[in-house]
Amino acid sequence: MIRNVVLGRVSDEVDLAALEAGLQALRELAVPGVEIELHAGVDLGLRAGNADFAVTVDLADEEAYRAYDENAEHRRIRLGLLGPLCSSIERVQFRLPTAGPASSGRTMGGPARTR
Amino acid sequence: MIRNVVLGRVSDEVDLAALEAGLQALRELAVPGVEIELHAGVDLGLRAGNADFAVTVDLADEEAYRAYDENAEHRRIRLGLLGPLCSSIERVQFRLPTAGPASSGRTMGGPARTR
């Protein structure tokens, strides 16, 4: 599995409703023959200096990523809806662990120590 | 649910083994009383201009995020292992959809059209 991650900053004068419309278009994106798990949202403001929005997309492999990346509707959303809003975009695609105990990535620390 | 997303670029002279050691320390991180689903990895080189690594962490809510963010071992890894390697870091925390049909974020387009 591959996780595609995008973080973006929008220009100051951008209307956040336009950003949300672009993210919603991504959420509704279907790529022929490719299963994608896409989550997108605006920053919650929990930390100073954060970027403005994030998109994460889980795909089966490199071939699925390429089909997603080159998909016409995806390009329309990226170049036509989101691109014009952005002052900067960072991307990474990285490998998610395949099945196995460590693959869940889940840890649960012991009970919280009382302070 | 909240997804915390971090994308980082490392300085040119950085030894990638040092980056991997920092990411592995994050993968092994357990925060007392908090369940986290953490995935971390280096960029696969599928696209020019990408950042160098990504970390995604799924947490129950804002309180869990704060406990994770302020955890001493997490701070040691962030400030002591990964921070010194980085030339830039971008972060966003965004809301994952709660349970419901749209919550999976999964779409599957119809069969791929033959070219």
Side-chain angles (χ1 to χ4, degrees), chain B residues 22-50:
Chain B
L23 298 179
Q24 184 56 31
L26 277 181
R27 294 185 195 110
E28 295 166 0
L29 177 68
V31 177
V34 177
E35 180 171 348
I36 63 178
E37 178 173 332
L38 187 147
H39 294 293
V42 296
D43 182 62
L44 291 169
L46 300 180
R47 193 192 171 97
N50 276 5

Side-chain angles (χ1 to χ4, degrees), chain B residues 2-64:
Chain B
I2 287 176
R3 177 163 287 177
N4 173 52
V5 183
V6 179
L7 295 184
R9 289 178 183 268
V10 297
S11 311
D12 290 343
E13 71 290 353
V14 160
D15 170 5
L16 288 185
L19 172 58
E20 181 51 36
L23 298 179
Q24 184 56 31
L26 277 181
R27 294 185 195 110
E28 295 166 0
L29 177 68
V31 177
V34 177
E35 180 171 348
I36 63 178
E37 178 173 332
L38 187 147
H39 294 293
V42 296
D43 182 62
L44 291 169
L46 300 180
R47 193 192 171 97
N50 276 5
D52 296 304
F53 70 91
V55 182
T56 64
V57 193
D58 292 356
L59 305 114
D61 52 31
E62 281 83 340
E63 190 186 344

